[in-house]
Amino acid sequence: MAGRAGDADRCGELPAADLDDLRQAGLLGLLVPRRFGGHGGGFAQWANAARVLAEASGSTALALNMHTSVLGALAGTPDELARAMGAPESYFSARDRMLTQAAGGSFIAVAMSERGAGSRLSALRTSYRREGDGYRITGLKSFCSGASHADVYFVAARAAEDHSEGEQPDEDHLAAAAGPATRVSHFLVPAGNGVTVEPNWDTLGMRGTGSHDLRLDVWVPADALVGGLEGLSLLIAQIMPQWLVASYAAVYAGVGRATFNAGIEHARGRTAAGIPKGLVGLPAVRARFGHADVALAALDVVIDECARRVEADPGSAATNRWVWRAKLLAGQTAQDVAASVIEACGTTVTRRGHPLERLYRDARCGSLQPATTDVCADWLGLAALGGDPDADANVARW
Ligand SMILES: Cc1cc2nc3c(=O)[nH]c(=O)nc-3n(C[C@H](O)[C@H](O)[C@H](O)COP(=O)(O)OP(=O)(O)OC[C@H]3O[C@@H](n4cnc5c(N)ncnc54)[C@H](O)[C@@H]3O)c2cc1C
């Protein structure tokens, strides 16, 4: 994967060979329970795997993170809870089929974000309505990592009657829609007719994710509705933030570590005219690596603590604080380490094609992914000040 990362960055596409390797290694089934052919892993196993994979290719680890988050949420919802929420029996057979397929190598991409709405579920424009025995979903998604290779898309959409199709929701509408009445639902939509990838991904970093737009005008059967119930998306985002917020953290910790390693390799090999012992002989350079070492170690500790709590006490207020802390710290640390390592190594490493040039751009994306660093900080600040960080924000969290 590491050997393919440069090309993937240049082309702006997820390498099919990376996906094949992940499949062969059984990693598409990492979070699938053993009874469905997977490895039965949980959040902690993902946090470990993501860090290792992202050291080789942040982009591929990020695309796998999307797949894994869906499986983590599906496999991690206890049957009794789903039944108590009203999930019909048909949901369980559809879910088990999906888990079995994923363990067998089926790749799931997440189609949540949209231009304008970002990842705010309450502001989505993609809509669905009842049609025959199923639903028709129409809309345009953006930033869909691994879109070209997906077998299934995890699509978020709002009930069409929440606003007229194609209509831009106004602020009042969005404020009302952000309330409990909003019906935002998720669907598992197979690739094929009615689902078109628009290959237009051309951004600063994590280019190897191939996060293209996705156009939808597709009919799906009723059992494609996740949970078998409409309107669960906002609830799930609140009760399982680990899969929406913290699962990225380990990916960016891996990117930060890769940046550090590449910087060390460069600094150790670099002789510079007039500088005895090259870069290693410069105290300022050494201090930058010292600071980066501490920052990355601290990030690992926070991710491990987050994972430990997610496994031991998922969904509690205390656990969720670690979820949001991990995301904030990962986004900030990866980009701070990358900026400092570049400063230590010099302009040479900013040439196109040098791994550090790519890693610097990749590391910049962590704090931009939802929840953004600013949103995490607001959430944590509100919690610290005694508010309800999910309910008391003046803009809907999701
Ligand atoms: C490499 C990469 C891969 C991605 N892959 C996927 C994918 O596979 N599937 C997918 O669905 N999406 C994906 N995304 C999209 C991502 O999840 C975000 O939705 C997207 O980046 C949001 O874009 P935006 O430009 O609208 O910014 P926003 O996130 O809307 O941010 C704009 C500004 O608004 C602020 N803001 C945002 N939300 C709130 C809020 N609730 N309260 C207060 N302030 C807020 C932000 O802090 C920021 O200052 C990916 C993004 C990247 C960078």
Side-chain angles (χ1 to χ4, degrees):
M1 279 166 51
R4 296 180 197 120
D7 258 1
D9 175 66
R10 271 185 293 283
C11 308
E13 190 52 273
L14 177 68
D18 279 14
L19 261 184
D20 289 343
D21 286 348
L22 295 175
R23 244 180 224 118
Q24 279 204 341
L27 281 165
L28 296 193
L30 181 65
L31 267 74
V32 174
R34 288 183 194 281
R35 68 184 190 282
F36 301 118
H39 291 287
F43 187 87
Q45 280 74 33
W46 169 244
N48 287 335
R51 277 177 278 189
V52 175
L53 295 170
E55 268 194 54
S57 168
S59 288
T60 299
L62 186 60
L64 183 62
N65 172 66
M66 299 309 183
H67 167 95
T68 301
S69 323
V70 175
L71 297 177
L74 287 180
T77 308
D79 287 6
E80 319 80 70
L81 176 65
R83 283 203 174 85
M85 283 160 62
E89 284 313 305
S90 56
Y91 159 66
F92 296 98
S93 39
R95 179 200 62 185
D96 296 352
R97 213 166 43 241
M98 187 68 255
L99 292 171
T100 307
Q101 285 168 5
S106 201
F107 174 61
I108 308 168
V110 171
M112 178 164 99
S113 303
E114 295 175 11
R115 284 193 172 77
S119 59
R120 282 195 302 135
L121 291 161
S122 55
L124 297 183
R125 280 174 223 155
T126 294
S127 64
Y128 68 90
R129 61 185 154 77
R130 273 265 174 204
E131 189 178 293
D133 292 339
Y135 300 92
R136 176 154 297 274
I137 306 169
T138 47
L140 179 64
K141 295 291 183 181
S142 56
F143 301 108
C144 182
S145 295
S148 314
H149 304 290
D151 302 293
V152 178
Y153 299 91
F154 187 65
V155 175
R158 66 164 55 240
E161 56 269 31
D162 281 352
H163 66 90
S164 315
E165 258 175 83
E167 176 195 321
Q168 170 110 6
D170 60 27
E171 284 307 313
D172 287 347
H173 184 95
L174 287 178
T182 308
R183 272 189 296 147
V184 181
S185 307
H186 271 93
F187 297 85
L188 284 161
V189 180
N193 285 345
V195 183
T196 314
V197 176
E198 303 199 339
N200 51 7
W201 174 248
D202 188 7
T203 53
L204 176 82
M206 290 296 209
R207 293 172 50 83
T209 54
S211 302
H212 305 297
D213 282 7
L214 192 73
R215 193 169 288 284
L216 298 153
D217 184 358
V218 62
W219 181 88
V220 290
D223 67 3
L225 174 66
V226 176
L229 287 172
E230 294 183 55
L232 287 186
S233 302
L234 289 162
L235 184 66
I236 299 293
Q238 273 190 26
I239 62 176
M240 284 192 176
Q242 63 267 29
W243 294 118
L244 228 69
V245 176
S247 58
Y248 300 111
V251 171
Y252 284 98
V255 172
R257 180 65 61 191
T259 311
F260 180 81
N261 293 344
I264 293 284
E265 195 182 324
H266 176 84
R268 291 180 70 161
R270 177 83 200 268
T271 51
I275 307 176
K277 295 189 189 160
L279 294 187
V280 177
L282 296 173
V285 168
R286 293 197 298 261
R288 285 189 181 276
F289 283 109
H291 282 293
D293 173 71
V294 174
L296 290 169
L299 174 58
D300 274 337
V301 170
V302 169
I303 289 173
D304 289 340
E305 178 64 6
C306 167
R308 190 185 69 74
R309 286 175 180 260
V310 165
E311 302 267 307
D313 187 19
S316 73
T319 296
N320 288 349
R321 275 202 291 280
W322 284 94
V323 161
W324 291 78
R325 282 172 187 150
K327 173 62 179 65
L328 185 153
L329 196 64
Q332 201 57 51
T333 303
Q335 65 171 314
D336 288 351
V337 164
S340 188
V341 164
I342 293 269
E343 199 83 23
C345 293
T347 310
T348 304
V349 301
T350 66
R351 288 206 170 95
R352 287 259 184 249
H354 195 287
L356 275 169
E357 185 272 332
R358 166 173 47 82
L359 288 163
Y360 176 70
R361 288 183 284 105
D362 287 352
R364 185 61 194 81
C365 293
S367 69
L368 300 174
Q369 294 221 236
T372 64
T373 291
D374 286 347
V375 172
C376 289
D378 183 49
W379 193 101
L380 287 161
L382 237 170
L385 291 162
D388 177 339
D390 290 314
D392 294 347
N394 39 353
V395 175
R397 292 284 180 218
W398 297 109

